Amino acid sequence: MATPPEKEVESLSLTSSSTSSSQMSAEEKYNIVRSIGEECIQEEELRNLLAKKPQPICYDGFEPSGRMHIAQGVMKTINVNKLTSAGCKVKIWIADWFAQLNNKMGGDLKKIRVVGEYLIEIWKAAGMDLENVEFLWSSDEINSKAHEYWPLVMDIARRNNLARITRCCQIMGRNEKDDLTAAQIFYPCMQCADVFFLKADICQLGMDQRKVNVLAREYCDAIKRKNKPIILSHHMLPGLLQGQEKMSKSDSSSAVFMEDEEAEVNVKIKKAYCPPGIVEGNPCLEYIKYIVFPWFNEFKVERKEENGGAKVFANYEELVADYANGDLHPGDLKPALSKALNQILQPVRDHFKNDENAKALLKKVKSYKVTK
């Protein structure tokens, strides 16, 4: 598995570059786009695409399934802004029918629609540059182009056996041993079809979605299609508590949510797993690496002179070195992390307090029961 160019970490920042994509070299575009992914299948294909196509199409999708945590809110905003800065067009697939198939919001399509509208409001408030972003509702698009969509789904289903489709169930937050409904068997065939229906050059989703993206590449082999979708899978942040491999919308303590109040953020980070000197599996350090540094290009720690005094870390490696050898204690790191996160989230809080439509959406979403 290839790793992204380390020196390009700074370019994750929302404000780090004012160079237009038309002035960038193919290599500059590649470095920006590649740095989003923890894994890329395949790098040479990505280089060729960015060198030859002026505006590649990137696809990302989400089920409207509840409140938005900070990874889906801030990390997606950073990644989308990077993609568009490098000249890409981003299609965000609001997978309302998929949420219904997966029994989110109890399968109530009206509630799912409300949640989708709430998520879009958050991205707007968080600073996502929407100039080259298109939000597409799956139900609307599929209904309007049914003659294109369903033959694709049927062909993908016809060319794969049940075992291969079941291996993709991780994309729905399920595992192969779950008692899957017929709808959940159908789901991966539809998500695979989405890639081609949306004419995506790049599948830019989380590592948990890679199996169905690989299925899309396998389908290209089956139909002898030369140009395969490039898979650019981003890192998945863990939950805040010890042993939580990922964030959960049904467990509010597992993550910071985008409209959490300042005090809530402070309490969650204070309780978060952050053992002194331990870097591996430390969710606080992951928040700093994937959210704070990309946003601010630095990490500020304020502490008493007897504890080392205030320090500004210019990069993650410098921070990790201090933390691993004990020069930086969790008691100083956590308040600094809380402060940085609250700075990022304040515009979102303000939007949901001051905008009547956003306020009404949030009230409804908070009243809904999260279902799995």
Side-chain angles (χ1 to χ4, degrees), residues 244-296:
Q244 291 181 327
E245 287 186 12
K246 63 177 189 175
M247 301 173 173
S248 170
K249 291 176 183 177
S250 59
D251 181 0
S252 62
S253 67
S254 72
V256 169
F257 289 84
M258 290 298 290
E259 359 72 25
D260 276 349
E261 295 295 340
E262 184 175 345
E264 291 177 287
V265 174
N266 294 342
V267 168
K268 287 180 179 182
I269 298 301
K270 188 174 183 180
K271 291 181 177 179
Y273 178 63
C274 191
I278 305 297
V279 174
E280 193 72 28
N282 187 323
C284 290
L285 290 178
E286 292 226 6
Y287 266 53
I288 295 167
K289 180 178 182 179
Y290 290 100
I291 296 174
V292 178
F293 270 113
W295 198 274
F296 295 111

Side-chain angles (χ1 to χ4, degrees), residues 308-328:
K311 183 168 182 178
V312 177
F313 293 93
N315 56 63
Y316 181 69
E317 291 70 28
E318 186 185 349
L319 172 74
V320 164
D322 269 22
Y323 193 81
N325 66 26
D327 288 346
L328 178 60

Side-chain angles (χ1 to χ4, degrees), residues 143-155:
N143 277 333
S144 68
K145 300 186 185 96
H147 62 289
E148 292 180 26
Y149 189 78
W150 292 115
L152 253 178
V153 176
M154 290 164 66
D155 195 46

Side-chain angles (χ1 to χ4, degrees), residues 30 40-47 217 229-231:
Y30 171 81
C40 179
I41 307 173
Q42 298 281 349
E43 290 186 334
E44 199 53 43
E45 293 174 18
L46 179 60
R47 285 185 190 276
R217 288 178 63 89
I230 295 155
I231 305 172

